[in-house]
Amino acid sequence: MSDTTLVILGATGDLTQRLLMPALYRLHRLGLTPGLRILGYAMDDWTRAHFEKHIHDALKAFAPDFSARNWNSFRKQLDYVGGRLDPADLERIKHKLTPATLFYMALPPPLFGTASQALGEAGFNVAPRGGWRRLVVEKPFGTDLASAEKLRAQMHQHWDESQILRIDHFLGKEATQNLMVFRFANRFLEPVWNSRHIAQVQITYAETLGVEKRAGYYDHAGALRDMLQNHLMQLFSLTAIEPPSCWDADVLRDHKVEVLRSVRPITARNVDEHAVRGQYRAGTVDGKKVPAYRREPGVPRGSNTETFAALRLEIDNWRWQGVPFYLRSGKRLASNCSEIAVQFHDVPGALPGGVKAQNNWMVFRMKPEQGMHLLANAKLPGLELDGHQVTLSAPYVQAGENEFSAYEQLLMDAIEGDRSHFLRFDEVEWAWRLLEPVLRHWQEGSPDFYASGSEGPSTQKRLLDRGQHWRSVSLVDGDVA
Ligand code: BG6
């Protein structure tokens, strides 16, 4: 990596100090980013020394492996220029750009369109011969289909799709990337990865956190926009895709889009059969009393924003015909439990001698631990021939193996120009298209309430097929069964 420049727009903000800088610092510490210069740009009229001090304090707070020695070499990579997001002010950084430069928009989402236009008007989208220019942007990409399309038009005014790297940080997680390897590198899986053997798939992202200090954003977004439209939709399409012929970014993304296009559309008339929303009331989480969403700072008292959303999706293709995929995410639930859980059908008929057998589940856990678990049946020890459920487990990362955070992984990919873990616009577009009827329907009425620290609203049951139950999110010590 010779002389690459990473320009962070919004370099004095929260994303930069909490996530980007700790990730860049670790990559530097591991010697993975030689020749990288980091140029901070923001409205604040700071000197380079002031910026360094700010980043130093941020790293002390957020980088677990901070040391004075590494800081002294990392700080040499840093630079700062203050200015507005207009072509005239951006001129100030022109002489600092190298032929290989990427721009990271760590900005409030309403600024994505104007910032990408300003960069284009300043001519920064065009690289000198032998160089490249890339633009990195993180979700949310619009708030519905129309605004996503408007944003795309603004960005495409100067930037080509191949230059734009849209981040969904879930695609940088070990657990997400493992899905692809585990699915396609194991011969035993493919013959059973279909509706003949799979009864249902549950994708859950449960959090104990509430809205925290993000009411300004969250109350306009809600769980459907914040988690399901992007993160869970990605996990869904990766669980369901056909085997790609190679890891080429476009081939992979074609396959994911194909899944989204095959989802049976939810219509204005059947939204309630496919979607449930909830909002947390007061309750107890991790032994502490917590207030209702409507009592959180910055949330309007009568807010109908959902803090929990669940969907039932069906895929109309040969592999998945008849298999319900359930996606749900909520704040202030019983525990931090995140997983993709695949349930297999019953064995055909009863076992001889009344030996008990439960359905198999394959569980890809993201939280609280990162690992895979297969729930299987084995002989119950003892004199009788009977069965009981056992869990075969494998952690994703063993002691001594190098693990990278989502931001470390994605920043490295962005610098190297590997686009496979970034979203193409049509993925974003199809995800919005699928959810449009739900968003419209939820403009009216109110969510179902659930107590903080619970499993979410009881009405989520109505999405399930007869005989199915939601897996519990009240985990005790990493329980999987
Ligand atoms: C973000 C959402 O994109 O993802 C948050 O805006 C959510 O509401 C977060 O808490 C979850 O991601 P992670 O990686 O922190 O578990």
Side-chain angles (χ1 to χ4, degrees):
M1 184 188 306
S2 60
D3 286 353
T4 298
T5 304
L6 166 64
V7 181
I8 302 181
L9 306 168
T12 55
D14 190 54
L15 176 66
T16 307
Q17 60 164 354
R18 263 187 329 108
L19 295 165
L20 300 183
M21 284 298 174
L24 289 164
Y25 173 77
R26 177 149 187 261
L27 293 173
H28 168 81
R29 192 174 67 74
L30 295 174
L32 296 172
T33 50
L36 179 71
R37 304 162 184 200
I38 304 167
L39 172 59
Y41 186 83
M43 297 266 281
D44 303 85
D45 188 17
W46 288 1
T47 60
R48 175 182 171 157
H50 187 131
F51 181 64
E52 263 189 30
K53 164 90 175 67
H54 174 76
I55 299 304
H56 173 265
D57 295 349
L59 290 178
K60 271 186 116 168
F62 299 111
D65 44 9
F66 184 82
S67 76
R69 191 166 64 89
N70 287 317
W71 164 250
N72 277 330
S73 57
F74 182 69
R75 72 192 297 177
K76 297 194 184 106
Q77 294 187 323
L78 301 178
D79 196 357
Y80 181 82
V81 172
R84 285 168 306 169
L85 287 171
D86 60 43
D89 277 11
L90 281 165
E91 270 298 309
R92 297 181 197 159
I93 60 171
K94 196 167 193 170
H95 66 285
K96 292 185 182 269
L97 307 184
T98 44
T101 295
L102 65 161
F103 299 89
Y104 196 118
M105 298 200 279
L107 297 167
L111 297 180
F112 292 164
T114 40
S116 51
Q117 280 172 325
L119 290 169
E121 281 159 28
F124 293 171
N125 54 332
V126 182
R129 186 184 279 270
W132 47 259
R133 292 291 155 91
R134 299 182 188 130
L135 184 62
V136 187
V137 57
E138 187 166 354
K139 73 114 201 174
F141 309 116
T143 53
D144 56 14
L145 184 58
S147 55
E149 274 166 355
K150 185 171 166 217
L151 176 61
R152 168 192 146 111
Q154 283 176 311
M155 294 181 72
H156 278 204
Q157 212 179 321
H158 297 282
W159 299 84
D160 185 68
E161 180 66 29
S162 64
Q163 293 178 288
I164 301 173
L165 299 169
R166 293 184 191 81
I167 289 194
D168 178 318
H169 80 281
F170 272 44
L171 289 184
K173 288 182 187 252
E174 285 289 347
T176 313
Q177 299 194 357
N178 171 62
L179 259 183
M180 289 186 276
V181 176
F182 192 74
R183 263 204 64 192
F184 301 122
N186 288 303
R187 181 71 196 237
F188 71 85
L189 211 58
E190 179 57 21
V192 296
W193 208 252
N194 55 53
S195 61
R196 281 195 60 205
H197 298 278
I198 291 179
Q200 58 160 325
V201 178
Q202 293 189 9
I203 302 176
T204 298
Y205 213 84
E207 297 180 281
T208 54
L209 280 182
V211 66
E212 310 305 305
K213 293 178 184 148
R214 303 166 72 212
Y217 151 75
Y218 194 87
D219 198 60
H220 295 287
L224 193 69
R225 289 187 174 92
D226 185 47
M227 293 297 291
L228 278 85
Q229 190 272 344
N230 34 69
H231 305 323
L232 269 63
M233 213 52 104
Q234 285 296 320
L235 298 179
F236 162 68
S237 51
L238 286 171
T239 308
I241 51 169
E242 293 303 312
S245 54
C246 59
W247 293 134
D248 175 86
D250 276 320
V251 172
L252 192 61
R253 295 180 298 178
D254 286 345
H255 279 62
K256 287 196 283 167
V257 169
E258 178 64 23
V259 173
L260 298 176
R261 293 182 74 142
S262 313
V263 174
R264 188 176 307 160
I266 300 173
T267 64
R269 295 170 64 178
N270 67 12
V271 168
D272 287 339
E273 290 156 38
H274 286 271
V276 165
R277 60 178 156 161
Q279 189 188 83
Y280 62 82
R281 284 221 155 109
T284 307
V285 175
D286 292 334
K288 277 200 217 106
K289 286 205 178 324
V290 292
Y293 176 71
R294 289 179 177 182
R295 296 271 151 195
E296 297 272 23
V299 173
R301 292 289 182 257
S303 169
N304 279 328
T305 298
E306 80 284 356
T307 58
F308 173 100
L311 286 179
R312 174 197 172 99
L313 300 179
E314 287 148 34
I315 303 176
D316 278 332
N317 67 16
W318 279 38
R319 184 187 287 271
W320 294 116
Q321 196 61 242
V323 181
F325 283 74
Y326 304 111
L327 282 59
R328 65 177 170 160
S329 180
K331 301 230 176 255
R332 286 276 191 249
L333 293 177
S335 72
N336 287 312
C337 164
S338 308
E339 61 181 30
I340 299 162
V342 178
Q343 188 191 35
F344 292 85
H345 286 299
D346 288 334
V347 288
L351 292 186
V355 170
K356 285 193 276 308
Q358 299 181 37
N359 292 97
N360 297 129
W361 284 89
M362 180 76 224
V363 181
F364 300 90
R365 263 285 163 75
M366 308 176 98
K367 279 185 186 170
E369 82 288 355
Q370 297 214 64
M372 293 170 284
H373 307 282
L374 177 63
L375 303 193
N377 296 292
K379 182 181 173 293
L380 181 67
L383 296 174
E384 307 297 326
L385 194 63
D386 204 352
H388 72 149
Q389 199 174 54
V390 293
T391 307
L392 310 174
S393 299
Y396 292 137
V397 186
Q398 313 271 3
E401 286 173 341
N402 238 347
E403 191 183 359
F404 290 93
S405 74
Y407 281 91
E408 289 159 8
Q409 173 84 47
L410 294 174
L411 280 165
M412 211 55 223
D413 286 349
I415 292 165
E416 285 175 351
D418 176 354
R419 290 179 296 129
S420 32
H421 301 130
F422 297 90
L423 306 186
R424 209 170 54 190
F425 181 73
D426 49 353
E427 293 180 75
V428 177
E429 181 186 16
W430 275 98
W432 280 125
R433 187 163 293 167
L434 273 174
L435 298 183
E436 277 288 288
V438 184
L439 290 171
R440 240 176 275 132
H441 194 74
W442 286 1
Q443 277 170 5
E444 305 294 328
S446 52
D448 302 320
F449 293 97
Y450 60 96
S452 286
S454 71
E455 295 276 328
S458 57
T459 42
Q460 62 186 293
K461 277 203 236 66
R462 73 164 186 255
L463 303 181
L464 302 177
D465 279 350
R466 188 194 287 259
Q468 294 177 340
H469 62 272
W470 282 109
R471 284 172 54 78
S472 173
V473 297
S474 313
L475 292 181
V476 185
D477 293 337
D479 197 5
V480 193

